[in-house]
Amino acid sequence: MPEPPKYEYYETLGVPKKAAAGDIKKAYRRLARKFHPDVNPNNKTAEERFKRVQEAYDILSDPKKKQVYDTYGFYSDQIPPQGAGYPPGYAGAGGYPGAGGYPGGAGGPGPEFSFRDFDFSNFQGAGAGSGARGPHTRQQTGGGAGGTGGFADSLRDMFSQFVGGDEAPAATPTRGEDLEYQARIGFWDAIRGTVVKINVQHYSSCPQCKGTGALGNSAGGPCPECQGTGQVTQLAGTMRFQLTCKSCSGTGKARNVCPSCEGQGRRFSPETVDVRIPAGTQDGTRMRIPGKGNSGTAGGPAGDLYLVVGVEKHAFFERKGDDISIRVPVTVTEAALGAKIEVPTIDGRALLKIPPGTQSGQKFRLRERGVEPARTGTRGDQFVEVSVQVPKIMDERSKEILRELASLNPEDPRAGLGAEV
């Protein structure tokens, strides 16, 4: 059967094949914001591009999926990455299928290679006993560490998902992908807590087929996709793999495919999610909402939704962690003689005592007048910085008073400056 189309995920995200994980994530965020359905309402082209971008990021952001894609040019959850149970040197190193000098290998031309045609009978584990394997059972006899079976059995197990057997495996339940969104809230919403509505564009379980991908319980004749074998052929260059047929989930029997999700068991749809922002949330907080990511496949659990919260700044309150800072002006006489002044806090106004001789820039602390996080209950403090304001003298009487004040207090505040010059 013809090879399915391959999507160039690197080209979709506009990054080179050797791009770092951080560059892939930046490219995804930029394109996701550009083509998001909320930004492009009723734009089918943008919606399709957004799906392609999401699909590309789902593969390239997962190291194991990315390794499979980089190795074979496509991704299937039935193909494990190199190193996950493969013999040493598989697919490129000497001595195994795909290596130079073997049919279909990288070292020269050759016919297509199928693991089904490979003879495992000559391989025996060093020091391992011989093994006999029936259609559904495995018998082991003596020898080796712990009585393990022959190397041929191990290879058969490794490649069983490719070459199949008497019984086709069922589709493997796969967890849905995680999603990340951003929300911006006001200063007071972060202090007191709030609830925000997030319009999430994700894959959700198909309501028509309840996530099964098929309607009804009865199965018809042989599956037209795999001709009743439960497996389909997937090409990767000159190599040929036998994979579980997704149309029938490996049963070999035709299904009444759900028209709503086209047999996938999930479909791309918007959902409004109410997220409670707890009191005391800080700028940059990353919240996890379980089960609100993409729906899983074949009965797998849904992924999670992560919400990054941004907090707007206030006109005169400045927040650092759970502490609040504010700059308050005072008059010359209040600073010189001392006073009790009212200062704003996040709870209202509070009385602050200014001692005589207070200097501009001096800071005072109001204990437990800061933010109280809902999770810890340990409240921060408020710091008040005093700024002495010099009045604008316009009348002669005020000038005379200030001259008299200067004669009564002749000390020079700059006397210590430049003494060693």
Side-chain angles (χ1 to χ4, degrees):
M1 62 182 298
E3 182 179 359
K6 298 177 181 178
Y7 300 122
E8 295 295 338
Y9 293 142
Y10 290 103
E11 292 182 6
T12 299
L13 296 182
V15 296
K17 291 186 177 181
K18 294 184 179 180
D23 295 332
I24 292 175
K25 188 172 185 179
K26 289 180 182 178
Y28 162 71
R29 288 183 173 179
R30 174 176 57 81
L31 293 174
R33 286 193 295 266
K34 181 178 179 181
F35 295 106
H36 198 284
D38 289 347
V39 182
N40 304 273
N42 301 322
N43 188 333
K44 293 295 183 182
T45 302
E47 182 178 345
E48 288 300 320
R49 184 66 184 277
F50 179 77
K51 293 179 182 179
R52 291 285 299 278
V53 169
Q54 181 69 54
E55 179 184 353
Y57 182 69
D58 290 342
I59 299 300
L60 298 183
S61 62
D62 187 308
K64 294 183 179 179
K65 294 181 180 179
K66 181 177 182 295
Q67 185 181 5
V68 172
Y69 175 75
D70 290 343
T71 303
Y72 304 110
F74 69 96
Y75 173 74
S76 172
D77 53 13
Q78 301 174 54
I79 300 180
Q82 286 181 311
Y86 283 96
Y90 169 75
Y96 287 94
Y102 281 82
E112 291 184 355
F113 188 91
S114 172
F115 288 114
R116 185 183 297 278
D117 303 322
F118 196 79
D119 183 10
F120 295 96
S121 61
N122 294 327
F123 290 88
Q124 297 292 336
S130 61
R133 177 175 171 175
H136 303 290
T137 62
R138 178 178 177 180
Q139 299 174 353
Q140 299 175 349
T141 59
T148 58
F151 186 46
D153 284 342
S154 300
L155 287 177
R156 290 191 185 96
D157 290 342
M158 293 176 191
F159 300 119
S160 61
Q161 57 181 308
F162 297 133
V163 303
D166 296 330
E167 183 177 341
T172 303
T174 303
R175 182 181 182 275
E177 302 82 6
D178 294 336
L179 299 178
E180 182 176 289
Y181 276 69
Q182 295 183 349
R184 194 153 189 85
I185 61 176
F187 177 85
W188 293 110
D189 290 333
I191 296 292
R192 299 163 181 164
T194 187
V195 175
V196 297
K197 294 183 179 294
I198 306 297
N199 295 321
V200 180
Q201 301 285 338
H202 63 170
Y203 286 100
S204 58
S205 180
C206 178
Q208 188 168 352
C209 64
K210 308 301 183 184
T212 63
L215 298 178
N217 297 323
S218 59
C223 171
E225 185 72 16
C226 62
Q227 286 77 46
T229 64
Q231 296 179 333
V232 294
T233 300
Q234 175 71 68
L235 300 178
T238 58
M239 304 183 71
R240 187 169 71 249
F241 298 98
Q242 295 292 110
L243 306 178
T244 300
C245 177
K246 291 188 176 181
S247 297
C248 63
S249 298
T251 63
K253 298 180 180 180
R255 298 188 304 164
N256 186 11
V257 177
C258 174
S260 180
C261 63
E262 299 179 348
Q264 298 300 313
R266 63 179 190 174
R267 63 182 185 178
F268 198 77
S269 60
E271 180 184 358
T272 300
V273 179
D274 291 336
V275 181
R276 189 182 73 84
I277 308 296
T281 297
Q282 299 186 29
D283 182 57
T285 297
R286 192 169 186 258
M287 302 177 59
R288 172 176 169 267
I289 300 91
K292 290 300 181 180
N294 283 335
S295 176
T297 58
D304 298 330
L305 171 66
Y306 289 89
L307 184 65
V308 180
V309 181
V311 180
E312 297 177 353
K313 295 184 179 300
H314 193 269
F316 50 83
F317 285 125
E318 181 180 355
R319 181 178 176 183
K320 294 181 180 180
D322 295 330
D323 294 332
I324 296 291
S325 297
I326 186 174
R327 198 163 183 257
V328 176
V330 297
T331 65
V332 172
T333 54
E334 288 174 333
L337 301 177
K340 292 182 178 180
I341 63 173
E342 285 189 342
V343 296
T345 71
I346 59 175
D347 297 323
R349 304 188 75 83
L351 199 63
L352 175 65
K353 183 179 181 180
I354 302 296
T358 295
Q359 303 298 313
S360 186
Q362 192 169 342
K363 293 182 179 181
F364 300 91
R365 179 167 65 177
L366 296 175
R367 295 185 181 275
E368 297 186 356
R369 287 286 188 164
V371 181
E372 182 177 1
R375 295 178 179 177
T376 63
T378 302
R379 190 163 189 175
D381 301 326
Q382 177 166 319
F383 293 89
V384 180
E385 180 181 346
V386 172
S387 174
V388 179
Q389 303 294 305
V390 179
K392 295 181 179 180
I393 305 301
M394 305 298 294
D395 60 286
E396 288 299 324
R397 176 58 181 158
S398 296
K399 292 179 181 180
E400 290 179 4
I401 295 175
L402 288 178
R403 292 189 188 102
E404 183 178 355
L405 177 64
S407 63
L408 293 174
N409 298 273
E411 65 272 7
D412 184 3
R414 296 175 297 281
L417 296 177
E420 299 178 356
V421 178

